[in-house]
C-alpha cells in the first residue's frame, strides 16, 4: 500500500521560508513522477513543482519559479519542497503527489496515482 505523508507546513510571515517533506512508502520513485500541488478554497488544485527522479528533470509553475525548489532524497524516499520568499498568495493546502508514469508538464506530474493528506501553509503580510 502506497502512503505519502507530508509534514512541514505552518504559519510564516511574508518573505519567510518553509520546507515541506513528503515521506513515501510502498512507492518506487525511481521510475515515476513526484510533485507538489496546492489548493485554496473554491479553486482547482494546481501543480507547482514536479520531478522525474530517474532523469532529474524538475519543472515549476511560473508563480513559484526562482522561489521554490523541489528535491528528492533517494535513500529516505522523501520528497521536499523548499519554499523561500513566501507571499500571502502562497497560502494554501499543499499536497504531495506521485505518479507511476514518468511524465510531467510544467510544474505538474501527469496521471497522478497517489495523494498525500495535505499540509496547510499560511503566509501573513
Amino acid at each position: 500500500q502506497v502512503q505519502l505523508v507530508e509534514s512541514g507546513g505552518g504559519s510564516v510571515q511574508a518573505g519567510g521560508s518553509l520546507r515541506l517533506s513528503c515521506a513515501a512508502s510502498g512507492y518506487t520513485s525511481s521510475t515515476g513522477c513526484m510533485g507538489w500541488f496546492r489548493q485554496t478554497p473554491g479553486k482547482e488544485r494546481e501543480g507547482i513543482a514536479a520531478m522525474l527522479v530517474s532523469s532529474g528533470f524538475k519543472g515549476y509553475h511560473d508563480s513559484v519559479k526562482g522561489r521554490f525548489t523541489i528535491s528528492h532524497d533517494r535513500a529516505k524516499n522523501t520528497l521536499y519542497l523548499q519554499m523561500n520568499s513566501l507571499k500571502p498568495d502562497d497560502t494554501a493546502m499543499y499536497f504531495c503527489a506521485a505518479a507511476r508514469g514518468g511524465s510531467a508538464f510544467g510544474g505538474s506530474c501527469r496521471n497522478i496515482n497517489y495523494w498525500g493528506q495535505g499540509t496547510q501553509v499560511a503566509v501573513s503580510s
Side-chain angles (χ1 to χ4, degrees), residues 17-20 67-71 80-84:
S17 298
L18 285 173
R19 188 176 81 154
L20 306 183
R67 301 188 298 122
F68 292 9
T69 303
I70 189 171
S71 62
Y80 300 98
L81 185 69
Q82 178 66 44
M83 305 186 295
N84 298 329

Side-chain angles (χ1 to χ4, degrees), residues 15-91:
S17 298
L18 285 173
R19 188 176 81 154
L20 306 183
S21 300
C22 172
S25 59
Y27 171 76
T28 302
S29 59
S30 60
T31 58
C33 182
M34 296 190 76
W36 293 94
F37 288 69
R38 67 185 181 187
Q39 188 172 25
T40 54
K43 293 188 177 181
E44 288 189 2
R45 196 171 293 187
E46 64 176 0
I48 57 168
M51 183 173 181
L52 304 182
V53 177
S54 59
S55 67
F57 166 83
K58 298 180 182 181
Y60 298 94
H61 190 277
D62 285 346
S63 64
V64 306
K65 279 181 181 177
R67 301 188 298 122
F68 292 9
T69 303
I70 189 171
S71 62
H72 182 264
D73 185 323
R74 287 183 185 245
K76 297 180 179 179
N77 203 12
T78 298
L79 187 74
Y80 300 98
L81 185 69
Q82 178 66 44
M83 305 186 295
N84 298 329
S85 302
L86 282 160
K87 305 174 181 179
D89 283 350
D90 295 318
T91 296

